[in-house]
Every structure is written in structure tokens, then in C-alpha cells.
Amino acid sequence: MKKRISAVLFMLLMSISFAVTSFVSGTEALAEVNNAEIPGSVIGENNTIILGTRAAVADMADVLSEDEENALTARLDELRQRQRLDVAVVTVNTLDGKTAEEYADDFYDYNGYGCGDDYDGILLLINIAPDGSYTSGNGRISTHGRGIDIFTDKGIQYIGSRITPALLEGSYSEAFDEYITLCDEFIEQEKTGKPYDADNLPKGEFPLRKNLCIALISGAVIAFMITGFMKSKLNTVRFNPTASDYMKDGSLNITESRDILLYTHIDKREIKNDSSSGGSSTHTSSSGETHGGGSF
């Protein structure tokens, strides 16, 4: 009897052990499929990939070379230390059934991104097709803490517009490098008390001196050519101080003159103030955290 009970208990323990092993193996396999380039990752809460260690660049789509990833990581780490705000880049080939907003927010929350007590930061998520190409609309930015105030809705759209051309060309390292530069500029601008927003977005670089010189020289050359051509057509014209040679005697006889107002017409058009469209919209993630952000 004791042998029979022992055999049943042994079989039960073996079954439980097999089930646990299968679950762990399946989880690790799923993590490997979605995150082959980051060893030690697992699928955590809410079907979110949890990195083995914090990564400023999580290139799960494998679109960056090792040198490119190291260079970007170095810039991001320096920016994080200097500005006390976390800036991250994440690439994926699949959203695992989530929306871009859900994926970016969950990845930020469950991987512990952010600086300080409020977890201040910004995360750029780029969803790339399996063939390595990018399509407009597959980029998402998630902000948290002070990042919500620094990167407004209009500011996020501006950043997206600046990096999209490089993304479409497949120049991912160039796009992410530009993203880091813009983030640094936005953080510095927020320190002035007037973050970049609808009414004061960056104007972009404009080489004033160079363009002014080109415009003046081009204008002078064109003006010289036009006036020279016009002058060559006026060889038969001679100076005449009066207009008497062009008038027939007695042909002009003015007896009365009056100024008559025939009618007036006024067009009225409302000029809308776009300043009300500024600021950052927010939402709540699956973990209950408040996030800002936007897609582009």
C-alpha cells in the first residue's frame, strides 16, 4: 500500500515538474523569438518583454550594427547623466497584438525607465517590417514625468517629422542620432520656462550669412543683366523736359472735375488663435501610470 502511494506521489511530482519546465521553456522561447539580440530577456507582466538589464538602445529588430548601437548608447548615457532625464530607443518587428501606445507605455513601465522619483523620461518606439523597411505611421513616442511637459504633442510631431525621412531611407542610426540631438535641444528649451510647443517650435538651422550673400550676389547679377538689356532697347529715346511734343493743341479742355465714391466692400474673416492647441495630452497605461506621447 505504501509503495502504491509513493508511486502516485512520485508521478504527481513529475507531472508538476514537467508542466513548470514546459511553461518556462515556452516563455524563454517566446522571449528569444521577440528579443533575440538581448540575452536574458523574458516575457513578463501583461505580455511585456522584460530586459535582463536596462538598455538605452533595445534593438530587437536588429537594424543597427554593433558599432552603431554602442555609439548611440554612449550618447544616450551621457545625455541621461547630464540632463537627469531618461531617453531611450526601442526597435521591434512586432507589437505582439498591442497598439503602439500600449507597447511603448508597457515597455517603459515594466523595464524601469525614467530618472528620479517621477521616472522622468521619453522612449522612442519604431516598428519595423520583417524585411527591414519602415513605413510612415509606425513610430511612437511615450513620455513620463517631466518628459510630458518637455515634449508636448506638437513637439512630438515635430520630432517625428524630422527623423521620418531618414527612417524611410533605412538610415536608422542617422535617425536615432537626430532624435537624441533634438531631445537635448527640447530639454534645454524647457529650462527657459517656455518649452517647444505649437507657437514656438524650432525653426531649424538657417545659414543666414551664407544665404544672404548668395541672394545679394544673385540679385545684383540678374538686375544688371535686365537693366542692360532694357537700356540696349532705348537707343532712340532722347530726354525731353516737357510733354508738349506729345500733345495736340486744343485737344484737352477740362471744364469740371469731381471725386465720386461709387461703392465700398469689406470682407470679414475670423482669425483663429492656435495657442489653445498646445500642451500635452495624457492617458493612463495598463500599470496605472500617466503617460504622454504621440504617433508619427
Side-chain angles (χ1 to χ4, degrees), residues 257-275:
S257 69
R258 291 182 297 171
D259 293 330
I260 301 175
L261 177 63
L262 298 179
Y263 60 88
T264 61
H265 179 77
I266 300 176
D267 289 323
K268 294 183 178 181
R269 179 170 58 89
E270 179 183 2
I271 300 178
K272 297 182 178 180
N273 187 355
D274 292 333
S275 61

Side-chain angles (χ1 to χ4, degrees), residues 28 91 257 265 283:
E28 291 177 347
T91 68
S257 69
H265 179 77
H283 57 273

Side-chain angles (χ1 to χ4, degrees), residues 215-225:
L216 289 174
I217 294 174
S218 300
V221 172
I222 294 173
F224 180 79
M225 294 174 62

Side-chain angles (χ1 to χ4, degrees), residues 27 42 60 65 70 73 76 84 96 110 132-133 139 160-161 166 183 191 202 209 213 217 232 249 263 275 283:
T27 301
V42 298
M60 293 180 287
S65 68
N70 289 337
T73 298
L76 288 168
R84 299 307 303 161
D96 295 328
Y110 293 116
S133 63
S161 69
C183 285
K191 294 178 182 178
R209 182 177 299 178
C213 290
I217 294 174
S232 67
D249 293 339
Y263 60 88
S275 61
H283 57 273

